[in-house]
Amino acid sequence: MTQMFEKAAEINKTGIAKLMKTVSTVSKTNQTAGIEWADFAKESYAAGSETMKKLAGARTLQAAMEIQGAYLKASYERLQSQAKVMSELYQGLAKEVGAPVAGEGATFDPKAFFDPKAFFDTKAFFDPKSFFDAKNFPKFPAVIAPKLAA
């Protein structure tokens, strides 16, 4: 009988260790993401300030439009670069967090767990015919029904 408790304690101990490792990994990833976003914001602010200085010195509308166009293009490229960095960061997190589930010979299939077609199927999510059907509305208890009829 004590073997059962010892086995349960061992499973609990390893489970908590895995959970703490996962929490630590998520925490480190979020910290890195915060630093990346702060750097991105700093770069964006500096680029915006520089562009405003250039716009203030523009002599013609044509020059101002060229400066604005260059700024928008650079801003878009910075945003794309930041999105790539964030994507890689969180993909790495997903691989690390999912490694224990996938690595122990488990039959975890993410596609079976989450099917985007079924999840985003509007007919399955909300069917107006069945929603507004009187048969699907809850029935009032017999005690309340006579009071409502009066």
Side-chain angles (χ1 to χ4, degrees):
M1 177 127 176
T2 59
Q3 291 175 348
M4 180 176 68
F5 289 116
E6 289 172 3
K7 183 71 172 171
E10 182 182 332
I11 290 172
N12 190 22
K13 187 177 175 182
T14 58
I16 289 175
K18 287 180 182 179
L19 176 67
M20 293 309 293
K21 182 180 177 190
T22 300
V23 168
S24 174
T25 304
V26 169
S27 175
K28 287 177 186 175
T29 302
N30 285 336
Q31 183 179 12
T32 305
I35 291 168
E36 290 290 334
W37 277 114
D39 290 344
F40 174 74
K42 206 181 300 182
E43 289 174 10
S44 295
Y45 181 76
S49 297
E50 186 65 31
T51 301
M52 289 304 292
K53 289 177 186 175
K54 288 180 184 177
L55 282 174
R59 300 286 182 207
T60 64
L61 182 62
Q62 177 72 23
M65 292 302 231
E66 288 174 4
I67 292 169
Q68 186 68 20
Y71 168 74
L72 290 175
K73 183 179 178 186
S75 177
Y76 180 72
E77 289 170 356
R78 259 193 329 275
L79 183 62
Q80 278 185 326
S81 174
Q82 181 68 14
K84 184 178 178 184
V85 167
M86 288 292 124
S87 175
E88 290 171 355
L89 189 64
Y90 282 105
Q91 282 176 358
L93 173 66
K95 286 179 184 175
E96 280 188 52
V97 170
V101 176
E104 295 178 358
T107 57
F108 179 73
D109 183 18
K111 290 181 181 176
F113 181 72
F114 175 73
D115 183 18
K117 290 182 182 177
F119 185 75
F120 294 109
D121 183 20
T122 55
K123 297 274 186 189
F125 183 69
F126 176 72
D127 185 16
K129 290 181 183 177
S130 66
F131 183 76
F132 293 112
D133 190 10
K135 295 176 191 172
N136 294 332
F137 283 103
K139 304 287 189 258
F140 288 113
V143 177
I144 299 175
K147 292 179 183 178
L148 292 177

